[in-house]
Amino acid sequence: ESSCSSSLTKSQDGLSTNPSELVQFMKQYKLILNYLIKQNPELLEGTFSSMTKYPTLLDFDVKRSFFRSQLSKEDRHFGGISLKVRRDRLFEDSYHQIKPRTADELKGRLTIQFVNEPGIDAGGLLKDWYQELSRQIFNPGYALFIQSADSAFQPNKDSQVNAHHLDFFEFCGRVIGKAIYDGANMDVHFTRSFYKHILGKRVVWKDMEAVDPEYYKNLKWMLDNDITDVMDLNFIAEVNSFGVVKVIELIPGGTDILVTEENKHKYVQLISEFKMTATIEKQIQAFLKGFYELIPKKFISLFNEIELA
């Protein structure tokens, strides 16, 4: 511990050394640095502040504690919001009452009253509201999310069947962000690729496994085998939306570019990104607009997609 401490110098920017030396130092002393931070969490905002730029070197408990401390610094003097909702119209009532509220207002205390039900919300009704809303968000009737092979959810590329789908996605982002902000529990489970979108990370072809296992197997077979004279593919993607098939080029001129043994890795990555990102880009952005209002990207990005799951 003494050798670790003697290597640290306090400066305006935290650990004072060049980036490569800093990372090497933190890797070497990862265990003891995390131990010291657990004993004194304020170190992450002072001497050890540079470690927040390399969150993979921080223990999950350390990240979670720092995350909550940063959220708690948000000015919470926003008064409160009271929702009066019908159980059989919980999603719609909640949406209409939350939509006009500002992000600052949503950071205030939230209380719930169910129409025609006695009781004052001392926490139990709010918990009930979160649980029921968790179910309604994934209600197939709203066509917002679809369930993947591993039972997790991701945005439905055909959600435009619901005229207000983008407003609803923004609402979902706000509500889930509010739950995290308050430390409340919502029973929501998204695909790994969608968690990556929340974190601002690029999806990779292996993320397809949880979304579409059969398609993932096809992609893996392509990469594991010589496809010369075996497959007849071009750099295009076909999108079927309500029976209408559209052909989209993955790269300029993709219609005339064959997928070969030499360029197949590029094709696999592009087609995976297309399916997991491009086809639901508007839905992702609407959700994130609402989510980031309450949970800043710089804070949630401390975590990885596995830790969010």
Side-chain angles (χ1 to χ4, degrees):
E1 182 172 337
S2 59
S3 62
C4 169
S5 299
S6 64
S7 300
L8 301 179
T9 57
K10 288 188 177 181
S11 71
Q12 186 70 24
D13 299 317
L15 297 173
S16 95
T17 182
N18 70 52
S20 59
E21 290 178 350
L22 173 62
V23 174
Q24 189 57 42
F25 171 83
M26 290 191 295
K27 286 181 178 178
Q28 182 178 353
Y29 293 105
K30 177 182 175 181
L31 290 176
I32 197 167
L33 287 172
N34 277 279
Y35 172 78
L36 292 172
I37 293 168
K38 288 176 183 177
Q39 301 305 307
N40 183 7
E42 292 183 0
L43 286 172
L44 264 186
E45 299 182 55
T47 307
F48 295 0
S49 62
S50 294
M51 288 192 75
T52 60
K53 299 176 183 176
Y54 307 94
T56 56
L57 298 175
L58 293 171
D59 291 350
F60 176 72
D61 288 345
V62 169
K63 288 190 280 190
R64 182 172 56 186
S65 176
F66 180 73
F67 174 77
R68 299 248 51 109
S69 72
Q70 295 306 299
L71 287 185
S72 69
K73 289 183 178 179
E74 302 277 316
D75 186 2
R76 299 182 72 91
H77 301 293
F78 299 117
I81 297 177
S82 180
L83 304 184
K84 191 171 183 179
V85 298
R86 297 165 291 179
R87 278 195 185 271
D88 60 345
R89 294 289 186 272
L90 185 136
F91 185 93
E92 294 89 342
D93 288 353
S94 300
Y95 163 75
H96 286 297
Q97 292 174 51
I98 285 178
K99 182 177 173 59
R101 300 290 189 168
T102 65
D104 284 346
E105 286 177 314
L106 287 177
K107 292 174 183 176
R109 184 170 181 265
L110 179 62
T111 56
I112 304 296
Q113 181 182 352
F114 289 102
V115 175
N116 296 326
E117 292 185 26
I120 297 174
D121 192 0
L125 296 180
L126 179 61
K127 182 179 179 181
D128 193 8
W129 178 78
Y130 272 128
Q131 289 179 338
E132 182 57 33
L133 196 54
S134 299
R135 289 190 284 270
Q136 291 302 316
I137 284 173
F138 300 122
N139 184 334
Y142 295 115
L144 298 177
F145 294 90
I146 56 173
Q147 200 164 18
S148 64
D150 65 353
S151 297
F153 288 87
Q154 67 172 5
N156 177 9
K157 68 179 179 64
D158 293 322
S159 63
Q160 71 270 18
V161 68
N162 185 325
H164 303 287
H165 70 129
L166 295 182
D167 286 336
F168 285 162
F169 273 111
E170 184 177 345
F171 165 69
C172 292
R174 288 182 122 197
V175 168
I176 292 172
K178 171 65 174 170
I180 294 174
Y181 188 91
D182 288 345
N185 181 45
M186 281 193 82
D187 187 20
V188 293
H189 302 283
F190 294 120
T191 57
R192 183 170 59 193
S193 56
F194 190 63
Y195 282 128
K196 281 190 170 184
H197 291 309
I198 292 174
L199 298 173
K201 296 173 67 174
R202 185 184 184 188
V203 298
V204 296
W205 74 273
K206 288 185 177 179
D207 295 325
M208 184 63 72
E209 184 174 15
V211 177
D212 188 338
E214 285 304 312
Y215 193 73
Y216 165 80
K217 289 178 184 177
N218 292 338
L219 295 179
K220 188 174 187 305
W221 187 93
M222 282 183 64
L223 297 178
D224 292 343
N225 296 274
D226 190 332
I227 64 168
T228 305
D229 299 326
V230 175
M231 307 189 83
D232 183 19
L233 292 171
N234 297 76
F235 274 77
I236 59 172
E238 292 187 351
V239 181
N240 188 329
S241 182
F242 303 109
V244 179
V245 178
K246 292 183 180 179
V247 176
I248 309 293
E249 291 188 332
L250 298 175
I251 54 176
T255 304
D256 301 315
I257 301 175
L258 288 172
V259 178
T260 65
E261 181 65 19
E262 289 69 34
N263 64 22
K264 66 181 183 182
H265 285 84
K266 182 178 182 180
Y267 169 81
V268 165
Q269 177 61 25
L270 287 175
I271 194 69
S272 298
E273 286 189 74
F274 179 80
K275 288 180 175 291
M276 290 185 284
T277 304
T279 57
I280 54 173
E281 185 69 34
K282 290 181 179 179
Q283 293 89 330
I284 293 169
Q285 293 308 316
F287 179 93
L288 294 181
K289 180 183 177 184
F291 184 83
Y292 289 154
E293 282 186 351
L294 287 105
I295 307 296
K297 185 178 178 181
K298 64 181 179 180
F299 296 154
I300 199 69
S301 295
L302 288 168
F303 304 98
N304 60 48
E305 61 276 12
I306 297 172
E307 290 169 334
L308 289 188

